[in-house]
Amino acid sequence: MDQQRATASIAASKLRYVQYDSSKEAEYLSAIRQLISKDLSEPYSIYVYRYFLYQWGNLCFLALDDDDKVVGVVVSKLEPHHGGPLRGYIAMLAVKENYRGNGIATKLVRMAIDALIEGDADEIALETETTNTAAMRLYERLGFLRSKRLHRYYLNGNSAFRLLLYLKEGAGYAEDSCEAPQSLYA
């Protein structure tokens, strides 16, 4: 396994990062589904992927190896949240196991954050399992804050944390809060 990781580390330095291209759906969609279904606890149908990719393909980014095989993906969307702030949402993030630990997930999430900022998002939300310490470290390192714990959120019975990244001063301001959160990105 160490040899595989070393090889993947070398290969990771040669990856190409691209925005999802709908003209390559036949090539990308099955690879995205396979990668995500291996790592995430939710069994998403083809319609969930199409929901995101058809409407917000510009907010989906891929890491491709030398053979143009998908080794990492982030899927996001952007829309008003309950008539309030314009909220970005990171729905899915996965990196092929032997490529992990090379900064691929960080690069993909930063690409999504940058695209959401460009789309004028006020904040970005996501959920991750409370037991997924690697994901928690990644998101907290990027400035996400734990918003709430969601008991038995996933179909497998696991709980989740909702994490928020405030992009603009005053985003996420609640009436019962003493002051507006400050943004790392404003």
Tab-separated table of all heavy atoms in Angstrom, residues 57-90:
chain	number	residue	atom	x	y	z
A	57	GLY	N	-23.090	22.728	-13.441
A	57	GLY	CA	-21.864	22.082	-13.916
A	57	GLY	C	-20.645	22.983	-13.796
A	57	GLY	O	-19.525	22.506	-13.602
A	58	ASN	N	-20.875	24.285	-13.870
A	58	ASN	CA	-19.778	25.248	-13.724
A	58	ASN	C	-19.221	25.286	-12.302
A	58	ASN	O	-18.171	25.871	-12.064
A	58	ASN	CB	-20.228	26.651	-14.136
A	58	ASN	CG	-21.336	27.184	-13.249
A	58	ASN	OD1	-22.300	26.480	-12.921
A	58	ASN	ND2	-21.209	28.424	-12.846
A	59	LEU	N	-19.916	24.646	-11.358
A	59	LEU	CA	-19.459	24.596	-9.964
A	59	LEU	C	-18.969	23.195	-9.580
A	59	LEU	O	-18.827	22.882	-8.410
A	59	LEU	CB	-20.587	25.036	-9.029
A	59	LEU	CG	-21.107	26.456	-9.252
A	59	LEU	CD1	-22.296	26.734	-8.350
A	59	LEU	CD2	-19.998	27.473	-9.039
A	60	CYS	N	-18.725	22.373	-10.580
A	60	CYS	CA	-18.199	21.029	-10.376
A	60	CYS	C	-16.799	20.983	-10.974
A	60	CYS	O	-16.590	21.410	-12.111
A	60	CYS	CB	-19.099	19.999	-11.058
A	60	CYS	SG	-18.437	18.323	-11.024
A	61	PHE	N	-15.849	20.454	-10.204
A	61	PHE	CA	-14.459	20.394	-10.649
A	61	PHE	C	-13.916	18.984	-10.489
A	61	PHE	O	-14.265	18.280	-9.537
A	61	PHE	CB	-13.607	21.401	-9.881
A	61	PHE	CG	-14.061	22.812	-10.107
A	61	PHE	CD1	-14.961	23.405	-9.245
A	61	PHE	CD2	-13.626	23.523	-11.217
A	61	PHE	CE1	-15.425	24.697	-9.464
A	61	PHE	CE2	-14.080	24.813	-11.447
A	61	PHE	CZ	-14.974	25.401	-10.570
A	62	LEU	N	-13.037	18.609	-11.418
A	62	LEU	CA	-12.482	17.265	-11.451
A	62	LEU	C	-10.964	17.319	-11.413
A	62	LEU	O	-10.356	18.242	-11.968
A	62	LEU	CB	-12.902	16.552	-12.743
A	62	LEU	CG	-14.383	16.548	-13.094
A	62	LEU	CD1	-14.588	16.085	-14.527
A	62	LEU	CD2	-15.140	15.673	-12.131
A	63	ALA	N	-10.376	16.311	-10.798
A	63	ALA	CA	-8.938	16.079	-10.876
A	63	ALA	C	-8.765	14.871	-11.784
A	63	ALA	O	-9.346	13.811	-11.528
A	63	ALA	CB	-8.349	15.807	-9.500
A	64	LEU	N	-7.987	15.042	-12.857
A	64	LEU	CA	-7.783	13.982	-13.843
A	64	LEU	C	-6.316	13.562	-13.872
A	64	LEU	O	-5.425	14.416	-13.806
A	64	LEU	CB	-8.184	14.477	-15.237
A	64	LEU	CG	-9.595	15.043	-15.401
A	64	LEU	CD1	-9.774	15.617	-16.806
A	64	LEU	CD2	-10.635	13.994	-15.106
A	65	ASP	N	-6.089	12.253	-14.002
A	65	ASP	CA	-4.714	11.762	-14.100
A	65	ASP	C	-4.216	11.860	-15.544
A	65	ASP	O	-4.904	12.406	-16.415
A	65	ASP	CB	-4.594	10.343	-13.538
A	65	ASP	CG	-5.313	9.292	-14.370
A	65	ASP	OD1	-5.765	9.586	-15.504
A	65	ASP	OD2	-5.431	8.146	-13.885
A	66	ASP	N	-3.027	11.321	-15.803
A	66	ASP	CA	-2.423	11.392	-17.147
A	66	ASP	C	-3.290	10.757	-18.222
A	66	ASP	O	-3.212	11.129	-19.389
A	66	ASP	CB	-1.054	10.693	-17.151
A	66	ASP	CG	0.013	11.520	-16.466
A	66	ASP	OD1	-0.183	12.748	-16.319
A	66	ASP	OD2	1.045	10.947	-16.087
A	67	ASP	N	-4.110	9.775	-17.828
A	67	ASP	CA	-4.983	9.083	-18.779
A	67	ASP	C	-6.390	9.686	-18.810
A	67	ASP	O	-7.321	9.052	-19.313
A	67	ASP	CB	-5.073	7.596	-18.418
A	67	ASP	CG	-3.721	6.908	-18.484
A	67	ASP	OD1	-2.935	7.226	-19.407
A	67	ASP	OD2	-3.441	6.050	-17.607
A	68	ASP	N	-6.548	10.868	-18.228
A	68	ASP	CA	-7.843	11.557	-18.129
A	68	ASP	C	-8.878	10.764	-17.345
A	68	ASP	O	-10.081	10.896	-17.578
A	68	ASP	CB	-8.390	11.937	-19.514
A	68	ASP	CG	-7.698	13.167	-20.079
A	68	ASP	OD1	-7.117	13.942	-19.289
A	68	ASP	OD2	-7.739	13.364	-21.306
A	69	LYS	N	-8.428	9.970	-16.398
A	69	LYS	CA	-9.326	9.253	-15.489
A	69	LYS	C	-9.594	10.151	-14.286
A	69	LYS	O	-8.691	10.826	-13.778
A	69	LYS	CB	-8.698	7.940	-15.003
A	69	LYS	CG	-8.346	6.979	-16.117
A	69	LYS	CD	-9.571	6.373	-16.725
A	69	LYS	CE	-9.196	5.323	-17.735
A	69	LYS	NZ	-9.969	5.375	-18.936
A	70	VAL	N	-10.847	10.158	-13.823
A	70	VAL	CA	-11.239	10.984	-12.683
A	70	VAL	C	-10.685	10.368	-11.402
A	70	VAL	O	-10.984	9.224	-11.079
A	70	VAL	CB	-12.776	11.100	-12.602
A	70	VAL	CG1	-13.186	11.909	-11.374
A	70	VAL	CG2	-13.338	11.729	-13.863
A	71	VAL	N	-9.868	11.150	-10.675
A	71	VAL	CA	-9.330	10.685	-9.385
A	71	VAL	C	-9.841	11.543	-8.230
A	71	VAL	O	-9.620	11.215	-7.067
A	71	VAL	CB	-7.785	10.629	-9.384
A	71	VAL	CG1	-7.282	9.653	-10.436
A	71	VAL	CG2	-7.169	12.001	-9.573
A	72	GLY	N	-10.537	12.635	-8.550
A	72	GLY	CA	-11.120	13.489	-7.525
A	72	GLY	C	-12.227	14.333	-8.119
A	72	GLY	O	-12.196	14.647	-9.311
A	73	VAL	N	-13.216	14.672	-7.276
A	73	VAL	CA	-14.342	15.478	-7.756
A	73	VAL	C	-14.955	16.258	-6.597
A	73	VAL	O	-14.984	15.781	-5.461
A	73	VAL	CB	-15.418	14.588	-8.424
A	73	VAL	CG1	-16.013	13.593	-7.446
A	73	VAL	CG2	-16.522	15.432	-9.058
A	74	VAL	N	-15.416	17.461	-6.903
A	74	VAL	CA	-16.237	18.235	-5.981
A	74	VAL	C	-17.458	18.711	-6.770
A	74	VAL	O	-17.330	19.140	-7.915
A	74	VAL	CB	-15.480	19.420	-5.331
A	74	VAL	CG1	-15.045	20.456	-6.349
A	74	VAL	CG2	-16.303	20.055	-4.218
A	75	VAL	N	-18.636	18.561	-6.166
A	75	VAL	CA	-19.903	18.931	-6.795
A	75	VAL	C	-20.582	19.967	-5.896
A	75	VAL	O	-20.760	19.715	-4.703
A	75	VAL	CB	-20.811	17.699	-6.980
A	75	VAL	CG1	-22.162	18.094	-7.558
A	75	VAL	CG2	-20.124	16.649	-7.852
A	76	SER	N	-20.947	21.102	-6.474
A	76	SER	CA	-21.517	22.206	-5.693
A	76	SER	C	-22.723	22.809	-6.408
A	76	SER	O	-22.961	22.526	-7.579
A	76	SER	CB	-20.471	23.314	-5.512
A	76	SER	OG	-19.266	22.802	-5.019
A	77	LYS	N	-23.432	23.666	-5.678
A	77	LYS	CA	-24.521	24.436	-6.281
A	77	LYS	C	-24.570	25.804	-5.612
A	77	LYS	O	-23.930	26.038	-4.587
A	77	LYS	CB	-25.864	23.719	-6.156
A	77	LYS	CG	-26.449	23.681	-4.759
A	77	LYS	CD	-27.832	23.041	-4.789
A	77	LYS	CE	-28.496	23.114	-3.437
A	77	LYS	NZ	-29.893	22.670	-3.501
A	78	LEU	N	-25.369	26.706	-6.195
A	78	LEU	CA	-25.510	28.064	-5.674
A	78	LEU	C	-26.933	28.533	-5.910
A	78	LEU	O	-27.411	28.539	-7.047
A	78	LEU	CB	-24.532	28.998	-6.396
A	78	LEU	CG	-24.546	30.467	-6.002
A	78	LEU	CD1	-24.152	30.649	-4.545
A	78	LEU	CD2	-23.603	31.261	-6.904
A	79	GLU	N	-27.626	28.890	-4.822
A	79	GLU	CA	-28.989	29.404	-4.922
A	79	GLU	C	-29.356	30.130	-3.633
A	79	GLU	O	-28.709	29.946	-2.605
A	79	GLU	CB	-29.978	28.283	-5.236
A	79	GLU	CG	-30.042	27.184	-4.208
A	79	GLU	CD	-30.934	26.026	-4.643
A	79	GLU	OE1	-31.496	26.054	-5.748
A	79	GLU	OE2	-31.066	25.080	-3.860
A	80	PRO	N	-30.408	30.961	-3.683
A	80	PRO	CA	-30.838	31.655	-2.460
A	80	PRO	C	-31.276	30.644	-1.402
A	80	PRO	O	-31.896	29.624	-1.718
A	80	PRO	CB	-32.027	32.499	-2.925
A	80	PRO	CG	-31.863	32.617	-4.404
A	80	PRO	CD	-31.198	31.353	-4.855
A	81	HIS	N	-30.951	30.932	-0.160
A	81	HIS	CA	-31.309	30.050	0.951
A	81	HIS	C	-32.496	30.640	1.696
A	81	HIS	O	-32.370	31.654	2.369
A	81	HIS	CB	-30.116	29.886	1.892
A	81	HIS	CG	-30.376	29.002	3.055
A	81	HIS	ND1	-30.625	27.658	2.911
A	81	HIS	CD2	-30.435	29.258	4.386
A	81	HIS	CE1	-30.823	27.120	4.105
A	81	HIS	NE2	-30.719	28.082	5.015
A	82	HIS	N	-33.652	30.015	1.555
A	82	HIS	CA	-34.885	30.450	2.224
A	82	HIS	C	-35.139	31.944	2.041
A	82	HIS	O	-35.467	32.652	2.996
A	82	HIS	CB	-34.848	30.111	3.716
A	82	HIS	CG	-34.722	28.651	3.997
A	82	HIS	ND1	-35.653	27.717	3.596
A	82	HIS	CD2	-33.754	27.942	4.638
A	82	HIS	CE1	-35.278	26.516	3.987
A	82	HIS	NE2	-34.126	26.618	4.611
A	83	GLY	N	-34.933	32.423	0.840
A	83	GLY	CA	-35.203	33.829	0.552
A	83	GLY	C	-34.175	34.779	1.149
A	83	GLY	O	-34.328	35.989	1.071
A	84	GLY	N	-33.143	34.246	1.736
A	84	GLY	CA	-32.125	35.074	2.381
A	84	GLY	C	-30.840	35.114	1.577
A	84	GLY	O	-30.854	35.431	0.387
A	85	PRO	N	-29.741	34.753	2.227
A	85	PRO	CA	-28.437	34.874	1.577
A	85	PRO	C	-28.296	33.929	0.384
A	85	PRO	O	-28.946	32.883	0.325
A	85	PRO	CB	-27.448	34.492	2.686
A	85	PRO	CG	-28.232	33.646	3.623
A	85	PRO	CD	-29.642	34.159	3.563
A	86	LEU	N	-27.446	34.309	-0.539
A	86	LEU	CA	-27.099	33.447	-1.659
A	86	LEU	C	-26.117	32.414	-1.120
A	86	LEU	O	-25.003	32.754	-0.723
A	86	LEU	CB	-26.488	34.277	-2.795
A	86	LEU	CG	-26.329	33.596	-4.139
A	86	LEU	CD1	-27.670	33.054	-4.658
A	86	LEU	CD2	-25.740	34.568	-5.152
A	87	ARG	N	-26.569	31.163	-1.076
A	87	ARG	CA	-25.787	30.123	-0.409
A	87	ARG	C	-25.203	29.137	-1.416
A	87	ARG	O	-25.898	28.552	-2.215
A	87	ARG	CB	-26.647	29.353	0.586
A	87	ARG	CG	-25.882	28.207	1.253
A	87	ARG	CD	-26.709	27.464	2.261
A	87	ARG	NE	-26.607	28.134	3.556
A	87	ARG	CZ	-27.147	27.658	4.675
A	87	ARG	NH1	-27.844	26.546	4.656
A	87	ARG	NH2	-27.003	28.326	5.804
A	88	GLY	N	-23.898	29.005	-1.332
A	88	GLY	CA	-23.225	27.928	-2.036
A	88	GLY	C	-23.354	26.667	-1.199
A	88	GLY	O	-23.478	26.734	0.031
A	89	TYR	N	-23.358	25.539	-1.850
A	89	TYR	CA	-23.493	24.268	-1.143
A	89	TYR	C	-22.545	23.260	-1.770
A	89	TYR	O	-22.606	23.025	-2.984
A	89	TYR	CB	-24.936	23.775	-1.225
A	89	TYR	CG	-25.165	22.467	-0.507
A	89	TYR	CD1	-25.131	22.397	0.881
A	89	TYR	CD2	-25.406	21.304	-1.222
A	89	TYR	CE1	-25.339	21.199	1.536
A	89	TYR	CE2	-25.619	20.098	-0.569
A	89	TYR	CZ	-25.577	20.049	0.818
A	89	TYR	OH	-25.773	18.857	1.456
A	90	ILE	N	-21.657	22.710	-0.971
A	90	ILE	CA	-20.768	21.648	-1.441
A	90	ILE	C	-21.471	20.337	-1.120
A	90	ILE	O	-21.588	19.944	0.043
A	90	ILE	CB	-19.375	21.740	-0.793
A	90	ILE	CG1	-18.709	23.053	-1.232
A	90	ILE	CG2	-18.528	20.526	-1.172
A	90	ILE	CD1	-17.356	23.318	-0.613
